[in-house]
Amino acid sequence: MSAASELKPLVKSLNSASSEEETLKILNTLKDFAKITEAVLRESKAGLAVGKLRSNASKPVSELAKEIVRKWKHEVEREKAAGGGSKGAAKPPAAKKAVSSSAAATPSTPVTPSGSGGTKFNDTRSAKSDGIKVEYTGDKTRDKCAELIYDALVFDSGAPSELILNRAKDVEKTVLNDHGGTTAAYKAKIRSLFVNLKDKNNPGLRESVISGDLPVSRFCKMSSQDMASEERKRADELIAQQNLFNTLGAGEQEAETDAFQCGRCKQRKCRYRQAQTRSADEPMTTFVTCTVCNNRWKFS
Ligand SMILES: [Zn+2]
């Protein structure tokens, strides 16, 4: 199914939506639609339908419509930039491919900036690609171990380097303390954490460590078995949190801030909001959305 024909029924129900709630729900679905190009917007008439809602009497509706239009503009601009980019004639087919095959064939893929024309964003970050030099202990073994943990945490993450680097250092320090130095047990533990973190089937573990939902002190005490079951345990929780994230995204957002740097596009144009996602005596969770590439992450 082409992206435009996927959008058409949504546009139709948007035009005939009878309540604010229904309109917001459809708008949110549209907002997360990852295959926006100028042609898709035109063919599906989605641009027109959402554009109209910017002057809707309901403030939540008009704000969300404005946000979506802004986001789409970015994507269309990016599409154009990619089309006229350095690779010249080689680019348009790549952008086309993103729309017709890969993106359409993998609906489970979360918002993937790499699927909308930008080749800059890939899912293989590392300390090296992030330009991070892990040198903070004066001890080569320790620095190397922290770098390993950084690489394992970061490779498919959109979170900022700074946040991930802090977690990696925390992990290294905690393992060091737990094992009384760079002993054989220390190295074995780092290796075990590295292998489990890097596990493609365990994205929840990485995300929990990065976000702080799984405290480093607890993570460092986990066996491989614990880590595997942690993923199963957390799967539902993560879905619930993602839903919360989406719900929060629908409401009024904080103003754009340069307080956060996006781990993907490295720009400092983000919106954020904070919420109490767990018990009242735990710290607030901060949800950040990059307004440039729509990357999202959270931390507490
Ligand atoms: Zn970004």
Side-chain angles (χ1 to χ4, degrees), residues 98-151:
V99 171
S100 61
S101 63
S102 63
T106 52
S108 62
T109 311
V111 182
T112 48
S114 54
S116 39
T119 47
K120 242 170 77 193
F121 309 120
N122 55 41
D123 278 348
T124 49
R125 287 172 68 192
S126 65
K128 215 174 152 194
S129 78
D130 277 3
I132 296 282
K133 262 208 145 52
V134 188
E135 281 173 349
Y136 70 109
T137 63
D139 177 324
K140 271 196 182 142
T141 305
R142 291 189 55 198
D143 288 347
K144 186 73 209 151
C145 286
E147 187 179 329
L148 270 178
I149 299 297
Y150 183 96
D151 284 348

Side-chain angles (χ1 to χ4, degrees), residues 78 113 121 158 261-270 289-297:
R78 229 188 16 231
F121 309 120
Q261 183 180 30
C262 172
R264 276 219 164 95
C265 68
K266 307 294 178 203
Q267 307 240 35
R268 289 186 166 271
K269 291 179 183 164
C270 297
T289 305
C290 170
T291 61
V292 179
C293 72
N294 206 35
N295 173 33
R296 295 160 165 188
W297 70 94

